[in-house]
Each structure stands twice: as C-alpha cells, then as structure tokens.
Amino acid sequence: MNINWILIIVALAFMALDVISGLCKAWYLRDMQSQALRRGLFHKIGFMGAIVLAGLFEWAAAVTPQITLAVPLMTCVCVYVVLTECVSILENLKAINPHIAGIASRFPQHQTDADLVIETPNEGNHDQKQPAE
C-alpha cells in the first residue's frame, strides 16, 4: 500500500491556513474567543481522524483479500477536507476584506448552528394553511 503523503500534507496545509485566517479574522474584528478556537481545532482533529480512518481502511483492504476497494478513500477524504477548508478560508477573508465578497459568494457557505433548525409539525394543524394578514 502506498500512502500519498503529498495529499495528506496538502490537506494539513489547508487546515493550517484556515486556522491562521480565522485568527486574522478574529484579530481584525477584535473578537478573540478561546471557545471558537477550541471548536475549530476539534473540527481539525476530526478531519485528521477521518484521514487516518480512511488510511487504515485502505491498509486493511490491501492486506485482506476479502475486502475490496474500488475508490481511494484517503484521496476522497483529503479532497473533501481541502474543499471544506477553502470555503472556510474564503469566509474568513471575506470578513477581513469585503471586496472579496464577490468572489466568495460564488461558493457555498458553512452552516452555523443557527442555520440548523429542526422543524416539528404543529399539533392538530398539519394540513391547515395560515390566514394571510
């Protein structure tokens, strides 16, 4: 099994750039929060764990004939990490320099906790329309 170290280093470099751009954004906005940094670092640890897990799965497939892989998992995970970090870096740069907003708005944005809303149906009013005001 050959490990693509270049791809892993590229993913780690994008993670580092995201941390640096996030620190620059927080410094620029005078909003340094250890909780936000800690949350971001745990996201990075999660990404690194996903890369390691994909590598272990590829290794298991290489040494176990019963496991077959048609897709290079570690490559897919690293590409996902790089694309996710690119979006985050663009969001940070957009906060620092509003002129970048035109470029950054062409990419999807991260969802925040406020964006994740769980809708529950109203009891007894499932199919009723609300009157217009």
Side-chain angles (χ1 to χ4, degrees):
M1 180 185 123
N2 292 331
I3 297 175
N4 191 347
W5 290 106
I6 299 296
L7 193 57
I8 294 171
I9 291 169
V10 167
L12 291 173
F14 273 89
M15 284 189 256
L17 283 174
D18 182 38
V19 170
I20 292 168
S21 67
L23 287 171
C24 290
K25 171 187 165 184
W27 184 35
Y28 175 77
L29 298 175
R30 297 179 185 183
D31 188 29
M32 288 283 204
Q33 296 178 7
S34 61
Q35 182 181 9
L37 179 61
R38 186 171 41 252
R39 187 179 306 127
L41 291 177
F42 277 114
H43 283 131
K44 305 303 178 236
I45 290 170
F47 281 150
M48 287 185 261
I51 292 170
V52 169
L53 185 63
L56 286 173
F57 198 87
E58 284 187 2
W59 171 79
V63 299
T64 310
Q66 293 84 3
I67 301 174
T68 58
L69 271 180
V71 175
L73 286 181
M74 194 177 335
T75 300
C76 293
V77 170
C78 287
V79 167
Y80 173 77
V81 168
V82 167
L83 292 175
T84 302
E85 297 300 347
C86 281
V87 170
S88 182
I89 291 166
L90 280 172
E91 288 173 355
N92 293 333
L93 294 176
K94 185 170 75 171
I96 295 169
N97 184 350
H99 298 296
I100 297 175
I103 298 167
S105 64
R106 295 184 180 139
F107 293 91
Q109 295 195 6
H110 281 124
Q111 287 185 341
T112 62
D113 291 339
D115 293 336
L116 303 174
V117 177
I118 299 173
E119 294 184 21
T120 57
N122 295 336
E123 292 181 19
N125 295 332
H126 296 292
D127 296 327
Q128 296 178 357
K129 292 183 180 179
Q130 298 293 329
E133 294 181 17

